[in-house]
Amino acid sequence: MTPTLTALLCLGLSVGPRTCVQAGTLPKPILWADPGPVVPWGSPVTLWCQGTLGAQSCSFYKDRSTEAWNIPRPLEPGDKAKFSITNVLDLHAGRYICYCVSPTGLSEPSDPLELVVMTGYYNKPSLSALPSPVVTPGGTVTLQCASQQRFDRMVLTQQGEDTSPWTLDTQPHPGGQVQALFRVGPVTPSHRGTFRCHGYYSDRPHKWSPPSDPLQLLVLGAADPPSPIRNKPSSENVSPLEDHTAVSTVAAPQPQDHRVENVIRMGVAALVLLALGVLLWEARHSQRSTQGAATCRRDPRGTQEPS
């Protein structure tokens, strides 16, 4: 626990007058963000702190902040306390922890939560697949995230449960942009899905650009439902960040072969035409036989000639 946090706890959360409670009496709580730790600028988010039995209240603390974030919050049903932000701004971005208090002391601080704000001050980057977003199993594809802004870090995300973004340092682009190249492979059906990328500056790691337009990676012959990526894009600079999700996925196209179906259809059509021809021939032959018999019966000479 940092000296600053310890001082805040002693000042703001005391059991009685001039009494600083002892930290570490309760197990550390669990901290998470709803709907997620990556939030668009101006959107709402709620931080939840899950305490333990015996806790009376929990508090939220934002690292390196002069704001009064350590105001105690009463527990709700389920031993949870919440801190709601109705309109997320840049100043809300940062690292958070929470702790809970009981009559006997304080809990250990929770694991930190990195709250990222997709600020409106940046432009969204572009994302493309090289050489193509349609990939065969076992092949490789490079996802290129590029921007006119001079970001020094870029983040690649994939839609799916239990997926984490990956970050890379940017490099100069021949067109005057900066880019990050995420190499994916060898490709399997599990790589199929929707990707986006963000840019940010390393001295402001909790402030990302808006996401790029979605890129749908299609794997030929992938019949199973899309699932999170299992082989991370390879790079020496790859480092995982906090989990978050994106938008819906699109299934890979399935190649169809209609040759057998066409042959069957042609064979059925030929049989139908042959049957019609036979019926027409029999009908015509029967008609001629009937006409010949009638001619023989009407011959005035009384002789019967073949028709």
Side-chain angles (χ1 to χ4, degrees), residues 287-300:
Q287 183 180 7
R288 288 181 178 178
S289 299
T290 304
Q291 291 175 353
T295 302
C296 292
R297 289 193 299 268
R298 294 174 185 176
D299 190 352

Side-chain angles (χ1 to χ4, degrees), residues 265-281:
R265 289 179 178 176
M266 292 175 63
V268 172
L271 290 175
V272 172
L273 291 176
L274 180 60
L276 289 176
V278 171
L279 292 175
L280 289 174
W281 181 85

Side-chain angles (χ1 to χ4, degrees), residues 125-129 132-135 141-145 155-160 163-166 182-185 187-198 210-219 226-234 244-250:
S126 62
L127 183 62
S128 57
S132 170
V134 181
V135 193
V141 62
T142 298
L143 303 184
Q144 179 192 50
C145 185
V155 184
L156 178 70
T157 65
Q158 185 196 6
Q159 187 263 345
T163 60
S164 300
W166 304 274
F182 297 88
R183 184 175 178 273
V184 180
V187 171
T188 66
S190 64
H191 290 96
R192 183 183 60 175
T194 302
F195 293 81
R196 295 178 186 265
C197 71
H198 307 259
S212 66
D213 292 334
L215 172 70
Q216 297 162 354
L217 188 64
L218 307 178
V219 180
S227 58
I229 225 175
R230 294 190 179 90
N231 298 326
K232 294 184 179 180
S234 60
H244 71 282
T245 60
V247 296
S248 60
T249 58
V250 175

